Amino acid sequence: MASLKDMRVRIASTKATQKITKAMQMVAASKLRRAQTAAEAARPYAERMERVISNIAGAAVASDTTPVLLRGTGKDQVHLLLVCTGERGLSGAFNSSIVRLARERALALMSEGKEVKFFCVGRKGYEQLRRQFDKQIVEHVELRSVKQIGFRNAEDITKKVVARFEAGEFDVCTLFYARFKSVIAQVPTAQQIIPLVIENTGGDANGASAVYDYEPAEDEILEDLLPRNLAMQVFRALLENNASFYGAQMSAMDNATRNAGDMIRKQTLVYNRTRQAMITKELIEIISGAEAI
């Protein structure tokens, strides 16, 4: 059985941990609002750009002049998984949920005979994936020194991905990140970005759609817009990840603070009972000794 001194040390250690988790919760809460605002502000622009590109791509005629980012290589053999995670932990299942989704996709593709490569953005995802796919990780980017994520960070990542695509290193690229839904809900998401998946935008209620004449030609417009759209999707993923990380960390630290409080109450109760038992034992020994005299 632990001594009273050991119990006091344990209680003091738990209280110190509780102060740390409480401080981290408050820091995450203060940063969450800005990160959430940035993520929500980026959504309309990214979604609108997707719709514009879908309209232009729908009007374009598939040919050899169609940008390769749109039509792809014509093969589906080599897949690049662009996995975006956080740089730090203590955020519950935030990082592991993204990695789990990417791992499941990789194993499913490999079971079909496909070749899988990984491009890791974030230290935590890299550390988890290299245990099982070390030889398949082709590049790793850390944003640990970046205080505020900007579009330039997404552009740098996009240029590396496009360079590998143009070099013929892969056929399909899928982006993995966590979409911010609320403080307690972050949704792991997989989005194919190369070749771009064109959604049917449809027309009006009667099925009709407007016809546009483009100047310059559709292929020339797409040649300029597709890399921009790719960078925008990566940028949105980074912003969504940032907001999701602080939301997950805030929830995790709140739970840790509550658990520390429960542990302190239980440890204090055991300490008081043990101390009372020792005092009672000493009194009995004193009384017994006095009666023996």
mmCIF file of all heavy atoms in Angstrom, residues 149-167:
data_model
loop_
_atom_site.group_PDB
_atom_site.id
_atom_site.type_symbol
_atom_site.label_atom_id
_atom_site.label_comp_id
_atom_site.label_asym_id
_atom_site.label_seq_id
_atom_site.Cartn_x
_atom_site.Cartn_y
_atom_site.Cartn_z
ATOM 1 N N ILE A 149 -1.494 29.400 -41.653
ATOM 2 C CA ILE A 149 -1.509 28.753 -42.968
ATOM 3 C C ILE A 149 -2.020 29.730 -44.017
ATOM 4 O O ILE A 149 -3.063 30.373 -43.850
ATOM 5 C CB ILE A 149 -2.397 27.501 -42.922
ATOM 6 C CG1 ILE A 149 -1.791 26.459 -41.977
ATOM 7 C CG2 ILE A 149 -2.556 26.907 -44.313
ATOM 8 C CD1 ILE A 149 -2.652 25.246 -41.780
ATOM 9 N N GLY A 150 -1.248 29.844 -45.107
ATOM 10 C CA GLY A 150 -1.629 30.728 -46.198
ATOM 11 C C GLY A 150 -1.741 29.975 -47.514
ATOM 12 O O GLY A 150 -1.385 28.786 -47.609
ATOM 13 N N PHE A 151 -2.228 30.662 -48.524
ATOM 14 C CA PHE A 151 -2.405 30.031 -49.838
ATOM 15 C C PHE A 151 -1.070 29.609 -50.442
ATOM 16 O O PHE A 151 -1.007 28.638 -51.204
ATOM 17 C CB PHE A 151 -3.119 31.006 -50.773
ATOM 18 C CG PHE A 151 -3.511 30.402 -52.091
ATOM 19 C CD1 PHE A 151 -4.518 29.460 -52.171
ATOM 20 C CD2 PHE A 151 -2.854 30.772 -53.257
ATOM 21 C CE1 PHE A 151 -4.875 28.897 -53.381
ATOM 22 C CE2 PHE A 151 -3.204 30.220 -54.474
ATOM 23 C CZ PHE A 151 -4.218 29.281 -54.539
ATOM 24 N N ARG A 152 -0.003 30.310 -50.075
ATOM 25 C CA ARG A 152 1.316 29.970 -50.608
ATOM 26 C C ARG A 152 1.744 28.563 -50.172
ATOM 27 O O ARG A 152 2.383 27.836 -50.936
ATOM 28 C CB ARG A 152 2.352 30.996 -50.146
ATOM 29 C CG ARG A 152 3.753 30.753 -50.710
ATOM 30 C CD ARG A 152 4.692 31.862 -50.293
ATOM 31 N NE ARG A 152 4.259 33.143 -50.833
ATOM 32 C CZ ARG A 152 4.564 33.550 -52.056
ATOM 33 N NH1 ARG A 152 5.289 32.783 -52.849
ATOM 34 N NH2 ARG A 152 4.162 34.727 -52.482
ATOM 35 N N ASN A 153 1.383 28.173 -48.940
ATOM 36 C CA ASN A 153 1.706 26.827 -48.475
ATOM 37 C C ASN A 153 1.016 25.772 -49.329
ATOM 38 O O ASN A 153 1.611 24.754 -49.684
ATOM 39 C CB ASN A 153 1.286 26.654 -47.010
ATOM 40 C CG ASN A 153 1.918 27.679 -46.090
ATOM 41 O OD1 ASN A 153 1.234 28.496 -45.480
ATOM 42 N ND2 ASN A 153 3.251 27.674 -45.987
ATOM 43 N N ALA A 154 -0.254 26.032 -49.661
ATOM 44 C CA ALA A 154 -0.993 25.098 -50.515
ATOM 45 C C ALA A 154 -0.411 25.072 -51.924
ATOM 46 O O ALA A 154 -0.334 24.011 -52.566
ATOM 47 C CB ALA A 154 -2.468 25.491 -50.555
ATOM 48 N N GLU A 155 0.010 26.235 -52.429
ATOM 49 C CA GLU A 155 0.609 26.288 -53.768
ATOM 50 C C GLU A 155 1.894 25.475 -53.842
ATOM 51 O O GLU A 155 2.130 24.768 -54.832
ATOM 52 C CB GLU A 155 0.904 27.741 -54.148
ATOM 53 C CG GLU A 155 -0.269 28.478 -54.746
ATOM 54 C CD GLU A 155 0.120 29.846 -55.282
ATOM 55 O OE1 GLU A 155 0.944 30.519 -54.630
ATOM 56 O OE2 GLU A 155 -0.388 30.236 -56.344
ATOM 57 N N ASP A 156 2.713 25.565 -52.802
ATOM 58 C CA ASP A 156 3.964 24.804 -52.785
ATOM 59 C C ASP A 156 3.688 23.306 -52.823
ATOM 60 O O ASP A 156 4.361 22.553 -53.548
ATOM 61 C CB ASP A 156 4.781 25.154 -51.541
ATOM 62 C CG ASP A 156 5.278 26.596 -51.559
ATOM 63 O OD1 ASP A 156 5.339 27.171 -52.657
ATOM 64 O OD2 ASP A 156 5.589 27.136 -50.477
ATOM 65 N N ILE A 157 2.710 22.861 -52.048
ATOM 66 C CA ILE A 157 2.347 21.438 -52.045
ATOM 67 C C ILE A 157 1.796 21.037 -53.406
ATOM 68 O O ILE A 157 2.153 19.980 -53.962
ATOM 69 C CB ILE A 157 1.316 21.157 -50.938
ATOM 70 C CG1 ILE A 157 1.937 21.414 -49.561
ATOM 71 C CG2 ILE A 157 0.800 19.725 -51.033
ATOM 72 C CD1 ILE A 157 0.945 21.367 -48.418
ATOM 73 N N THR A 158 0.953 21.889 -53.983
ATOM 74 C CA THR A 158 0.339 21.584 -55.278
ATOM 75 C C THR A 158 1.386 21.467 -56.376
ATOM 76 O O THR A 158 1.312 20.579 -57.240
ATOM 77 C CB THR A 158 -0.674 22.680 -55.638
ATOM 78 O OG1 THR A 158 -1.659 22.765 -54.607
ATOM 79 C CG2 THR A 158 -1.351 22.364 -56.958
ATOM 80 N N LYS A 159 2.373 22.354 -56.365
ATOM 81 C CA LYS A 159 3.424 22.305 -57.383
ATOM 82 C C LYS A 159 4.186 20.990 -57.320
ATOM 83 O O LYS A 159 4.535 20.409 -58.364
ATOM 84 C CB LYS A 159 4.383 23.482 -57.197
ATOM 85 C CG LYS A 159 3.786 24.838 -57.593
ATOM 86 C CD LYS A 159 4.755 25.975 -57.318
ATOM 87 C CE LYS A 159 4.146 27.320 -57.679
ATOM 88 N NZ LYS A 159 5.054 28.456 -57.366
ATOM 89 N N LYS A 160 4.443 20.500 -56.130
ATOM 90 C CA LYS A 160 5.146 19.226 -55.980
ATOM 91 C C LYS A 160 4.298 18.067 -56.495
ATOM 92 O O LYS A 160 4.805 17.147 -57.149
ATOM 93 C CB LYS A 160 5.518 19.000 -54.509
ATOM 94 C CG LYS A 160 6.544 19.993 -53.983
ATOM 95 C CD LYS A 160 6.865 19.735 -52.521
ATOM 96 C CE LYS A 160 7.887 20.752 -52.003
ATOM 97 N NZ LYS A 160 8.225 20.508 -50.576
ATOM 98 N N VAL A 161 2.999 18.110 -56.206
ATOM 99 C CA VAL A 161 2.103 17.052 -56.674
ATOM 100 C C VAL A 161 1.999 17.069 -58.196
ATOM 101 O O VAL A 161 2.097 16.023 -58.859
ATOM 102 C CB VAL A 161 0.707 17.202 -56.035
ATOM 103 C CG1 VAL A 161 -0.279 16.218 -56.653
ATOM 104 C CG2 VAL A 161 0.784 16.987 -54.522
ATOM 105 N N VAL A 162 1.799 18.265 -58.761
ATOM 106 C CA VAL A 162 1.672 18.383 -60.220
ATOM 107 C C VAL A 162 2.963 17.974 -60.922
ATOM 108 O O VAL A 162 2.939 17.327 -61.978
ATOM 109 C CB VAL A 162 1.281 19.828 -60.606
ATOM 110 C CG1 VAL A 162 1.339 20.018 -62.119
ATOM 111 C CG2 VAL A 162 -0.109 20.154 -60.087
ATOM 112 N N ALA A 163 4.111 18.327 -60.338
ATOM 113 C CA ALA A 163 5.397 17.935 -60.928
ATOM 114 C C ALA A 163 5.531 16.426 -60.986
ATOM 115 O O ALA A 163 6.008 15.865 -61.988
ATOM 116 C CB ALA A 163 6.548 18.544 -60.126
ATOM 117 N N ARG A 164 5.109 15.757 -59.947
ATOM 118 C CA ARG A 164 5.162 14.289 -59.949
ATOM 119 C C ARG A 164 4.167 13.708 -60.951
ATOM 120 O O ARG A 164 4.438 12.690 -61.595
ATOM 121 C CB ARG A 164 4.875 13.753 -58.546
ATOM 122 C CG ARG A 164 5.999 14.028 -57.543
ATOM 123 C CD ARG A 164 5.719 13.393 -56.190
ATOM 124 N NE ARG A 164 6.830 13.610 -55.269
ATOM 125 C CZ ARG A 164 7.909 12.848 -55.208
ATOM 126 N NH1 ARG A 164 8.009 11.796 -56.020
ATOM 127 N NH2 ARG A 164 8.880 13.111 -54.361
ATOM 128 N N PHE A 165 3.015 14.360 -61.097
ATOM 129 C CA PHE A 165 2.028 13.877 -62.057
ATOM 130 C C PHE A 165 2.541 14.038 -63.485
ATOM 131 O O PHE A 165 2.406 13.136 -64.325
ATOM 132 C CB PHE A 165 0.712 14.635 -61.869
ATOM 133 C CG PHE A 165 -0.370 14.225 -62.822
ATOM 134 C CD1 PHE A 165 -0.931 12.960 -62.767
ATOM 135 C CD2 PHE A 165 -0.833 15.107 -63.786
ATOM 136 C CE1 PHE A 165 -1.927 12.585 -63.648
ATOM 137 C CE2 PHE A 165 -1.828 14.753 -64.673
ATOM 138 C CZ PHE A 165 -2.377 13.482 -64.599
ATOM 139 N N GLU A 166 3.124 15.188 -63.765
ATOM 140 C CA GLU A 166 3.661 15.427 -65.108
ATOM 141 C C GLU A 166 4.846 14.521 -65.409
ATOM 142 O O GLU A 166 5.126 14.223 -66.571
ATOM 143 C CB GLU A 166 4.075 16.891 -65.240
ATOM 144 C CG GLU A 166 2.884 17.853 -65.230
ATOM 145 C CD GLU A 166 3.297 19.312 -65.252
ATOM 146 O OE1 GLU A 166 4.502 19.579 -65.027
ATOM 147 O OE2 GLU A 166 2.432 20.181 -65.496
ATOM 148 N N ALA A 167 5.546 14.075 -64.371
ATOM 149 C CA ALA A 167 6.660 13.138 -64.562
ATOM 150 C C ALA A 167 6.186 11.706 -64.730
ATOM 151 O O ALA A 167 7.002 10.799 -64.932
ATOM 152 C CB ALA A 167 7.623 13.227 -63.377
#
